[in-house]
Amino acid sequence: MTVTPNLSRANDNSDPTLKAEISNQIKQPTRLSPERCRSSRCRVSSPIVSLFTYRRTSFLAVIDYSSIKMAGPAPFVDMGKKAKDLLTKDYNFDQKFTLTMLSSTGMGLTATGLKKDQIFFGDINTVYKSGNTTVDVKVDTYSNVSTKLTVNDVWPCSKAALSFRIPDHKSGKLDVQYLHPHAAIDSSIGLNPTPLLELSATIGSKELSLGGEVGFDTASASCTKYTAGIGLNKPDFSVALLLTDKGQALKASYIHSVNPFTCVAAEMTHRFSTYENNFSIGSSHAVDPFTVVKTRFSDNGKVAMLCQREWRPKSLITVSAEYDPKAVNASPKMGLALALKP
């Protein structure tokens, strides 16, 4: 928590006893009375002014809750995400180009092009932020327009997002998220006559959490998914155990930080119906402050490697390669991704 005193009497020439007493009161949250949510999970966009009194003199303390780190459990969708990101994120076996431009007015423009085999895909994404509101509009090469409106702090510690895609008139969806020091709840409902309902929740703490998610299709009156999981997070490792595919599969993931430069991760899935096991193991190593090398090996024999270089601030070039020993007549896959942010 960042506490910035705005005091009318405690200047550089003030009584040291007065200044010490004010500092002690500022350091003790119980002595302050914020006018808005006091939860450590709150993320408000503006500072909160609190009032306390010392010897019949009132003073103001500004508490910036936007700098407070989350202390509660992460949303259920993030359970096991660290290991999955190490094993899959940034791997690209095609040609991809991304250009991002930001302005001081809160608007950002991102142009993305992807060449897959002999087909080219592209989109232009515009993001505008103003206060607690973010508007995200994307137009792709097939003339689809995707729009998402996100509002933070609709009520304390919450977020709501409205999204839709044109010309698909049944694609409207409303997402609501609520974060609490001991729980995280996400809900989603389709904005059409027969909506798809989804609900996920986790309870516990930042270190140990238990959660689940369920999806219900009102058109067929059936459950589309139900998943349960438990996660354990420590400063140097993270473990997640998930029961997925309507109870038909058990997935375990683990990521460990060996040292400040090297991480290793593993993910394994067991299917009860076929007794089939699948696994992937990988590593990430920072060669220097600007270069990262990642490796991955899967049970099907595929071996992948990635090298990412930050050749200028916030601009990345990534080279990926994958070799499949079972594809005798196919050459190894190669990919190049260039991301520019002037």
Side-chain angles (χ1 to χ4, degrees):
M1 174 165 49
T2 301
V3 181
T4 305
N6 181 11
L7 308 177
S8 60
R9 291 181 56 189
N11 51 37
D12 293 337
N13 299 322
S14 298
D15 181 5
T17 304
L18 170 61
K19 296 169 68 175
E21 179 66 21
I22 292 173
S23 299
N24 290 335
Q25 292 202 36
I26 291 176
K27 293 177 182 178
Q28 298 176 11
T30 56
R31 299 291 297 273
L32 302 177
S33 303
E35 298 175 359
R36 296 170 64 182
C37 178
R38 283 176 274 184
S39 170
S40 59
R41 292 295 297 271
C42 256
R43 288 180 174 266
V44 297
S45 59
S46 58
I48 300 173
V49 178
S50 297
L51 181 68
F52 62 89
T53 303
Y54 175 78
R55 294 180 180 177
R56 298 184 181 180
T57 302
S58 297
F59 300 93
L60 295 178
V62 181
I63 306 175
D64 187 4
Y65 275 91
S66 62
S67 64
I68 297 176
K69 296 182 179 180
M70 290 188 180
F76 183 79
V77 68
D78 292 337
M79 193 172 291
K81 184 175 182 295
K82 292 180 181 179
K84 184 177 181 180
D85 284 348
L86 189 147
L87 295 171
T88 61
K89 188 177 181 181
D90 295 327
Y91 280 98
N92 171 62
F93 305 111
D94 302 295
Q95 288 77 49
K96 184 178 181 180
F97 175 79
T98 304
L99 175 63
T100 302
M101 294 179 291
L102 303 176
S103 67
S104 58
T105 60
M107 178 173 289
L109 179 66
T110 302
T112 303
L114 176 66
K115 183 181 179 183
K116 188 176 180 65
D117 297 329
Q118 299 301 319
I119 303 176
F120 180 80
F121 306 90
D123 61 67
I124 297 178
N125 185 28
T126 302
V127 179
Y128 178 73
K129 296 181 179 180
S130 178
N132 295 338
T133 305
T134 302
V135 181
D136 189 334
V137 180
K138 180 186 292 186
V139 182
D140 61 21
T141 51
Y142 296 101
S143 299
N144 295 316
V145 181
S146 303
T147 303
K148 185 175 183 179
L149 174 65
T150 305
V151 181
N152 294 311
D153 301 314
V154 179
W155 60 84
C157 310
S158 68
K159 179 175 68 174
L162 175 66
S163 60
F164 57 89
R165 187 171 63 252
I166 299 174
D168 186 1
H169 64 281
K170 295 183 178 181
S171 62
K173 186 172 67 169
L174 176 64
D175 298 289
V176 178
Q177 181 183 75
Y178 176 72
L179 300 177
H180 184 270
H182 302 292
I185 302 174
D186 289 270
S187 62
S188 174
I189 180 172
L191 303 180
N192 54 68
T194 55
L196 178 65
L197 308 177
E198 294 182 351
L199 177 66
S200 65
T202 55
I203 58 174
S205 63
K206 185 178 180 180
E207 292 188 348
L208 180 62
S209 59
L210 177 67
E213 67 175 349
V214 61
F216 183 77
D217 187 0
T218 58
S220 60
S222 61
C223 287
T224 58
K225 63 178 179 180
Y226 42 87
T227 307
I230 184 172
L232 175 64
N233 298 297
K234 291 292 184 179
D236 57 341
F237 72 91
S238 178
V239 182
L241 186 64
L242 299 171
L243 186 65
T244 63
D245 294 342
K246 298 182 179 180
Q248 297 299 311
L250 183 66
K251 179 185 292 186
S253 63
Y254 175 78
I255 182 171
H256 181 77
S257 179
V258 180
N259 55 53
F261 309 101
T262 305
C263 290
V264 294
E267 187 177 78
M268 181 175 180
T269 303
H270 173 75
R271 299 192 176 277
F272 298 108
S273 58
T274 60
Y275 299 99
E276 180 184 0
N277 295 318
N278 303 104
F279 71 87
S280 295
I281 57 176
S283 66
S284 175
H285 178 70
V287 180
D288 56 53
F290 308 101
T291 307
V292 175
V293 176
K294 297 173 66 175
T295 59
R296 183 182 67 195
F297 175 75
S298 302
D299 64 287
N300 54 13
K302 291 184 179 181
V303 180
M305 184 175 180
L306 173 152
C307 181
Q308 187 176 79
R309 173 76 177 179
E310 186 178 9
W311 58 281
R312 58 173 297 172
K314 300 181 181 181
S315 296
L316 305 173
I317 182 170
T318 306
V319 179
S320 306
E322 185 182 60
Y323 173 68
D324 186 1
K326 297 181 180 179
V328 180
N329 299 324
S331 59
K333 295 181 180 179
M334 297 288 294
L336 176 64
L338 181 62
L340 302 179
K341 185 178 288 188

